[in-house]
Amino acid sequence: MPEDVATAAPLAERYVLLDLETTGAHPERDRITEIALLRFEGGHLVERWQSLVRPDVPIPPLIERLVGITNAMVADAPPFEALAPELLQRLADAVLVAHNARFDYGFLRQAFRRCGFAFESPVLCTVKLSRALYPQYHKHGLDSLIERHGLSCSARHRAMGDAEVLAQFLDLVQREFPPETLLLAKRKAMQWPSRPPGLADGVLESLPDVPGVYLMYGENDLPLYLGKSKRLRSRVLDHFSQAQHHGTEAEIARQIRRLDWLETAGELEALLLEAELIKRLKPLYNRQLRERGAWAIEPLPEPKPRGPVVGYRSLAGTDPADWLGHTHGLFPERKQAEKALRQIARAHALCPQRLGLEPLRRGPCLAHQMKQCLGACAGKESPEVHDARLRAALAPLPPAPWPYAGPVRLTEHDPERERRMTLIADRWCLLARFDHDPTPEELTAALERPRRFDPDLYRILAHAFATTAPQPLS
């Protein structure tokens, strides 16, 4: 670390630059694997301390590769409870400074709480400080700061290496900006967005801003609400902004005690996972994607001479290969399908008697008497012409015909996060979803699964296939 950093004028009389490495991103579920701190008093570096920490939970392979701390390295390290008393002394009476500080602060509070210590501290976030001082830049992650300001890092993603970068950054901004500007930026960097009182510290900051599904829990294991987003952290913070604290949002904020999330390869997998979890878990405040009906209007294969020539069919859970001819429309209830058919009859001057919307009787229907029917019931229009107009009017309604010769596959891939999702679908039915490239044996097993139509999955697949062409399976 450069010598001049040790004598830099502080943003506070006493502050501790802290960085943690962890087994993952969730402060309640994951554990600390390394701690490093630099303590400054009166502008001088007075203490430099670091230690590996035995987490007593496995370090995932992805984290091992990213950080460089392996399970073998921490096997003989002291557990956090052995370090807690001396760590509390080193953090005492100082402002805690960290990058995305609420993440580190949340992990520390959870770790101290687990071993019987209460820890509170004023917190300054260098991400927020950078945003306040350099609003012209979009990115404020540690890698961006290193590149933009020419900072040096002895060991990126190791606790002391990253803490030293923060020391250089604070030295830089205190030389570049006048005290009054730093004071205003410091106030912004120490403000935190509104958060539910029952949610543990650091949980919101632990959320990655990547595609995925989030689950909000109350006192039990039944989710209050779950949703999906292309940017998890931004979406969840929106839930708890002051402007949203009314109605359902306010009730969720009052009840929430736990937040979990599942990262996905992209938006498509997030949509599929959201639909699956809502149907399986039935969260209290999710209504839209719960078990919904899928009623359609279906021309009858052998209608009676005078009608009716159409019927109604429930499509949910059925195999599209068994549908009688073409089905039209996806309505949650049968009465909504019938209402839609009435609207179509009026718009196209079709005969309500022939459609089964009115009882058969001798002579013209009431709609014909009111000049709203072209007269299939009065011999003024042949049944063939009437039924052809009916088919044309129904044709634009979903579900669209399956546009492929057989089953297809579509892959969503995020190489940066090493995430992949491959789906197998046939006739708008999802047969399988894999988090890897499926083997021939897995493909064969997927294709042998029964098709079960789901209207929500149909909408997701139809939109996805309209923007990204799937690969046919021979």
Side-chain angles (χ1 to χ4, degrees):
M1 183 174 64
E3 291 296 324
D4 59 349
V5 171
T7 58
L11 283 164
E13 179 62 26
R14 292 181 296 274
Y15 64 98
V16 175
L17 299 178
L18 178 96
D19 190 79
L20 305 177
E21 301 303 332
T22 64
T23 62
H26 202 294
E28 294 180 302
R29 187 169 55 238
D30 291 302
R31 297 294 185 266
I32 297 169
T33 58
E34 188 176 38
I35 307 171
L37 63 83
L38 301 168
R39 184 178 174 104
F40 287 81
E41 296 183 2
H44 297 279
L45 177 64
V46 297
E47 185 168 17
R48 175 189 180 97
W49 180 85
Q50 63 182 323
S51 177
L52 289 171
V53 182
R54 192 181 75 224
D56 293 324
V57 299
I59 302 174
L62 179 62
I63 300 297
E64 283 189 323
R65 293 195 297 272
L66 175 66
V67 176
I69 298 176
T70 66
N71 285 288
M73 290 170 61
V74 298
D76 297 323
F80 185 86
E81 53 266 30
L83 301 171
E86 62 176 310
L87 182 57
L88 275 175
Q89 294 179 2
R90 291 184 165 93
L91 297 172
D93 302 318
V95 173
L96 179 68
V97 182
H99 212 61
N100 190 20
R102 295 297 289 201
F103 174 88
D104 297 82
Y105 185 60
F107 261 93
L108 274 182
R109 280 174 60 87
Q110 290 290 330
F112 278 124
R113 186 178 293 121
R114 279 190 290 267
C115 52
F117 293 97
F119 173 68
E120 291 188 8
S121 171
V123 180
L124 187 152
C125 178
T126 48
V127 172
K128 293 177 179 289
L129 186 67
S130 179
R131 286 175 181 156
L133 294 173
Y134 302 97
Q136 68 271 34
Y137 297 111
H138 176 65
K139 296 182 177 181
H140 298 273
L142 208 57
D143 288 326
S144 297
L145 265 59
I146 291 171
E147 181 179 358
R148 183 156 61 236
H149 302 295
L151 308 178
S152 60
C153 184
S154 59
R156 182 70 178 97
H157 294 302
R158 291 298 300 270
M160 184 55 76
D162 290 351
E164 289 176 347
V165 171
L166 297 185
Q168 296 172 61
F169 176 68
L170 289 191
D171 176 55
L172 170 74
V173 300
Q174 289 172 113
R175 287 188 280 106
E176 284 194 354
F177 294 94
E180 57 272 18
T181 302
L182 285 176
L183 180 60
L184 291 174
K186 173 188 171 184
R187 288 173 179 169
K188 292 182 179 179
M190 297 185 76
Q191 292 176 349
W192 304 104
S194 174
R195 67 187 54 242
L199 200 59
D201 289 300
V203 172
L204 293 182
E205 289 72 24
S206 303
L207 275 164
D209 233 13
V210 300
V213 171
Y214 56 92
L215 301 96
M216 299 177 179
Y217 292 88
E219 297 286 358
N220 54 44
D221 290 333
L222 173 67
L224 298 170
Y225 182 83
L226 71 84
K228 61 84 188 171
S229 179
K230 291 188 290 186
R231 299 181 61 188
L232 282 172
R233 184 190 302 162
S234 301
R235 178 67 189 96
V236 173
L237 287 176
D238 283 346
H239 271 285
F240 303 123
S241 66
Q242 289 289 349
Q244 295 295 325
H245 276 198
H246 56 81
T248 300
E249 298 283 0
E251 189 60 24
I252 294 173
R254 185 185 68 81
Q255 295 185 49
I256 189 171
R257 296 295 181 271
R258 179 164 59 93
L259 177 68
D260 284 334
W261 61 89
L262 299 166
E263 293 185 35
T264 59
E267 185 179 17
L268 174 58
E269 186 182 12
L271 284 164
L272 295 171
L273 185 58
E274 178 194 36
E276 173 192 324
L277 290 177
I278 287 177
K279 287 179 172 60
R280 175 154 53 91
L281 301 178
K282 296 179 171 55
L284 181 61
Y285 292 104
N286 285 95
R287 304 291 184 209
Q288 187 175 1
L289 291 180
R290 282 191 171 187
E291 297 292 348
R292 292 193 294 188
W295 284 86
I297 303 164
E298 184 174 56
L300 299 178
E302 298 180 1
K304 297 178 181 179
R306 295 185 60 199
V309 295
V310 294
Y312 305 96
R313 181 185 178 94
S314 176
L315 304 182
T318 65
D319 185 344
D322 297 334
W323 295 350
L324 300 175
H326 295 293
T327 58
H328 304 281
L330 291 175
F331 305 98
E333 298 177 355
R334 173 175 171 153
K335 64 181 180 180
Q336 291 174 307
E338 184 175 326
K339 180 180 178 181
L341 186 59
R342 289 185 183 278
Q343 293 172 342
I344 290 170
R346 285 195 295 269
H348 296 272
L350 296 167
C351 179
Q353 284 191 148
R354 189 159 181 80
L355 298 183
L357 298 172
E358 289 182 8
L360 289 173
R361 65 178 198 171
R362 293 183 180 276
C365 68
L366 292 175
H368 180 65
Q369 296 175 35
M370 299 171 64
K371 302 186 183 305
Q372 295 176 355
C373 163
L374 294 186
C377 52
K380 296 181 178 180
E381 181 182 41
S382 71
E384 293 76 16
V385 171
H386 174 277
D387 295 350
R389 292 196 302 111
L390 169 63
R391 289 191 295 271
L394 294 174
L397 297 180
W402 181 244
Y404 309 104
V408 297
R409 68 186 288 170
L410 190 147
T411 297
E412 195 170 44
H413 184 212
D414 184 342
E416 184 175 335
R417 294 185 297 125
E418 300 184 11
R419 291 193 173 274
R420 175 185 296 271
M421 185 277 298
T422 299
L423 67 82
I424 309 299
D426 187 24
R427 297 179 184 252
W428 302 121
C429 298
L430 181 65
L431 300 179
R433 189 176 75 245
F434 301 96
D435 61 2
H436 56 277
D437 207 8
T439 65
E441 292 76 18
E442 288 175 323
L443 282 177
T444 299
L447 295 177
E448 291 175 351
R449 293 174 185 169
R451 292 182 290 261
R452 296 289 183 263
F453 183 79
D454 181 301
D456 298 308
L457 293 182
Y458 161 74
R459 294 182 181 95
I460 294 170
L461 294 176
H463 181 268
F465 293 169
T467 56
T468 305
Q471 177 187 356
L473 290 175
S474 53

